[in-house]
Amino acid sequence: MLIDRPALPAALHALGLPLTDDPCAVVAIVRADALADAHCCPAARVLAVARDEAEELAALAAGADDAARGSDALVSLRAARLMVPPTTLAVGTLRLDRLSRTAARAGRALRLLPREYALLEMLARHAGTTVSHAALRREVFGLPFDPGTNLLAVHVSRVRRALDHGQARPMLLTDRGRGYRLIADGDLPCPAMNTTLLQVHATALG
């Protein structure tokens, strides 16, 4: 929570929504005139708290996922709604159905094993963000340590083969020594960083 509303924590708690300072929070609650404050939580969906309709509309136009004005109870309800993950994810021509756990790129179904799908979904949830090897091992494989094997590299290779084979532009990039990053088909890789994956910490509100 990146806003000074003394009664809001209690309203959030009443809905079972815990607070956290984790930069990987799911939702960031910020003032509508201070959306930049949410940059400390790059993976979060942003709820802008506005003072009037004009501020609300401006925040939505600037990229906020939702905006609210009014009581702390109303803001908390909007935050709870953002906590529910969407059933589909899209990155460029890549589409993921989180209910059936299937994926397709440009209409072509991708043949993925369950762990490979989980890896790709992590990438899609944080498209454009480099995710460390440690975060991927922890979130996808449940490993809080480096086992000293090529387990992650093998799975990334399989996902890359299914995702990028026969395509004009790669989507799964490697940031050497750091992690991986997923980009949309039309995005050009940054020449200074050759990357792809992401980090997912579904903790709570920041």
Side-chain angles (χ1 to χ4, degrees):
M1 191 175 80
L2 304 170
I3 187 171
D4 184 19
R5 288 182 66 136
L8 185 53
L12 293 167
H13 181 74
L15 294 179
L17 305 178
L19 298 177
T20 178
D21 294 326
D22 195 324
C24 296
V26 175
V27 176
I29 304 176
V30 301
R31 294 199 329 267
D33 61 352
L35 290 183
D37 290 349
H39 291 170
C40 66
C41 304
R45 305 178 77 184
V46 177
L47 174 60
V49 180
R51 291 170 293 189
D52 52 42
E53 182 180 9
E55 209 171 65
E56 189 173 5
L57 292 173
L60 292 171
D65 294 281
D66 198 2
R69 51 195 167 96
S71 68
D72 292 322
L74 177 59
V75 172
S76 299
L77 287 171
R78 292 289 183 86
R81 187 170 66 180
L82 287 180
M83 290 284 289
V84 179
T87 58
T88 60
L89 293 173
V91 180
T93 62
L94 175 66
R95 300 289 184 273
L96 285 84
D97 186 321
R98 302 180 72 188
L99 295 180
S100 63
R101 296 180 67 79
T102 57
R105 179 176 178 183
R108 177 178 63 87
L110 307 183
R111 299 182 63 180
L112 299 169
L113 296 175
R115 192 83 71 173
E116 295 161 7
Y117 172 85
L119 184 58
L120 181 58
E121 183 180 307
M122 280 189 65
L123 290 167
R125 288 184 61 188
H126 300 268
T129 301
T130 300
V131 178
S132 69
H133 301 114
L136 290 168
R137 285 193 297 265
R138 182 177 61 249
E139 299 298 333
V140 176
F141 301 97
L143 296 173
F145 57 89
D146 185 351
T149 69
N150 65 346
L151 176 68
L152 176 59
V154 167
H155 279 76
V156 169
S157 177
R158 291 173 180 168
V159 171
R160 178 178 282 125
R161 184 164 56 246
L163 178 65
D164 291 336
H165 180 71
Q167 300 290 339
R169 289 182 182 274
M171 294 183 67
L172 180 53
L173 309 178
T174 300
D175 185 0
R176 296 189 183 281
R178 297 176 57 201
Y180 302 91
R181 174 168 49 97
L182 186 71
I183 63 171
D185 315 52
D187 293 346
L188 292 175
C190 173
M193 303 194 313
N194 204 16
T195 13
T196 312
L197 272 209
L198 52 161
Q199 183 174 352
V200 114
H201 250 342
T203 37
L205 280 68

